[in-house]
Amino acid sequence: MRGLIRLLLLLGTWQQVFADSLDGEYHATLDGQAAELHLRSQDSAVEGLYIENHSLRLKLRGRFDGRLLSAEILDPSGQVLATLSAAYADNGLNTRVAARDPRSGQVIERQALFQRRGASAADPRPSGEAGPLDPALIGTWQHENLINSGGADFASFTTLLTLQLGADGNVTQWSRSVGGGGDWSFDSPGELQYSGRWYSDNGALMVQLQGNGSYQPAGRYRFSEQYLVIEGSNGRMIWKRP
């Protein structure tokens, strides 16, 4: 019994370490706008702010289990405006924000990689120095998410991500959303999610976001016939040539 109690105490200590590691300021570009997450944690509970374009400030509350953050973004009255889910790794939060369009009722999702301000470099290379480029990665890749609703009021919503890995070491990712139902349609213009530099390192795709001083692992990649499979903290994504 004493050994079990010691084990539980040790696990509790590690949970506190993991929770503390989340605290800080994180920055990203979301829909072309500057976005920030200011987070503080107590055990597994998380509170903070979601800031957009340096002016919109909304409360955030959620839970963090040491790897995954699940949170709600609230307006000043306490009403939930959006949900946020993120996987934490290497001083970054691979984040998905989902909000319901009040006009159509459809859920709109956006993805972004938030980097902690002041984090130490995860890669020993100087900020301007990259590694080799895998020729098989160079070019344009697309990933498609399709959501259909059943029933009489059938509707569909598609998000198309376009990833461009340049032979010059530049990388950009764009997002476009298209949806429609019986009496409505939605078609957003292409939106830049992020840009920066890239290189490949023994099966890992390394990305340095514009304005950041270090390369971070975007995930491990492999090829399956004509498809590119990237597996990272945000799960598995399958890409194909357009």
Side-chain angles (χ1 to χ4, degrees):
M1 181 66 68
R2 182 179 300 173
L4 176 60
I5 292 174
R6 286 181 177 177
L7 176 60
L8 292 175
L9 288 173
L10 178 61
L11 288 174
T13 301
W14 276 107
Q15 287 176 347
Q16 182 63 44
V17 169
F18 284 142
D20 287 345
S21 70
L22 185 70
D23 291 8
E25 296 182 17
Y26 298 78
H27 296 254
T29 299
L30 189 63
D31 282 351
Q33 302 291 327
E36 303 175 27
L37 294 173
H38 294 203
L39 304 177
R40 59 185 181 275
S41 56
Q42 178 65 42
D43 296 326
S44 61
V46 177
E47 293 183 345
L49 293 173
Y50 170 82
I51 303 174
E52 193 169 287
N53 204 26
H54 308 293
S55 57
L56 177 65
R57 302 171 68 91
L58 300 170
K59 291 184 178 180
L60 178 147
R61 68 185 181 197
R63 312 287 293 182
F64 180 59
D65 66 4
R67 191 178 71 87
L68 298 176
L69 170 65
S70 299
E72 297 174 329
I73 298 173
L74 314 171
D75 69 9
S77 69
Q79 181 179 352
V80 177
L81 297 179
T83 59
L84 180 149
S85 58
Y88 175 84
D90 298 322
N91 291 304
L93 285 166
N94 240 327
T95 303
R96 183 187 301 270
V97 180
R100 188 174 297 278
D101 188 329
R103 297 168 299 179
S104 66
Q106 293 299 304
V107 174
I108 300 175
E109 296 185 345
R110 294 292 184 265
Q111 299 181 53
L113 177 60
F114 283 79
Q115 290 293 142
R116 193 202 302 263
R117 169 172 286 179
S120 58
D123 191 326
R125 299 177 188 270
S127 61
E129 180 182 343
L133 306 181
D134 186 341
L137 287 174
I138 294 173
T140 301
W141 300 90
Q142 290 185 333
H143 171 79
E144 187 176 75
N145 279 331
L146 176 62
I147 301 175
N148 290 324
S149 64
D153 297 326
F154 176 81
S156 65
F157 192 83
T158 302
T159 300
L160 181 67
L161 300 179
T162 300
L163 175 66
Q164 295 175 322
L165 298 167
D168 57 358
N170 288 321
V171 57
T172 57
Q173 183 168 303
W174 294 79
S175 173
R176 182 188 177 197
S177 299
V178 179
D183 57 357
W184 66 274
S185 63
F186 174 82
D187 188 353
S188 74
E191 298 174 342
L192 178 66
Q193 288 193 309
Y194 68 83
S195 62
R197 304 282 295 171
W198 75 279
Y199 73 88
S200 50
D201 182 18
N202 294 320
L205 176 61
M206 307 294 294
V207 174
Q208 179 191 41
L209 298 183
Q210 186 174 4
N212 286 359
S214 64
Y215 285 87
Q216 302 287 339
R220 300 200 63 82
Y221 70 90
R222 58 184 172 85
F223 295 94
S224 177
E225 298 180 349
Q226 73 269 34
Y227 299 103
L228 168 64
V229 182
I230 300 178
E231 297 181 85
S233 56
N234 204 36
R236 176 186 298 175
M237 300 182 71
I238 299 176
W239 303 78
K240 64 180 181 178
R241 301 282 190 184

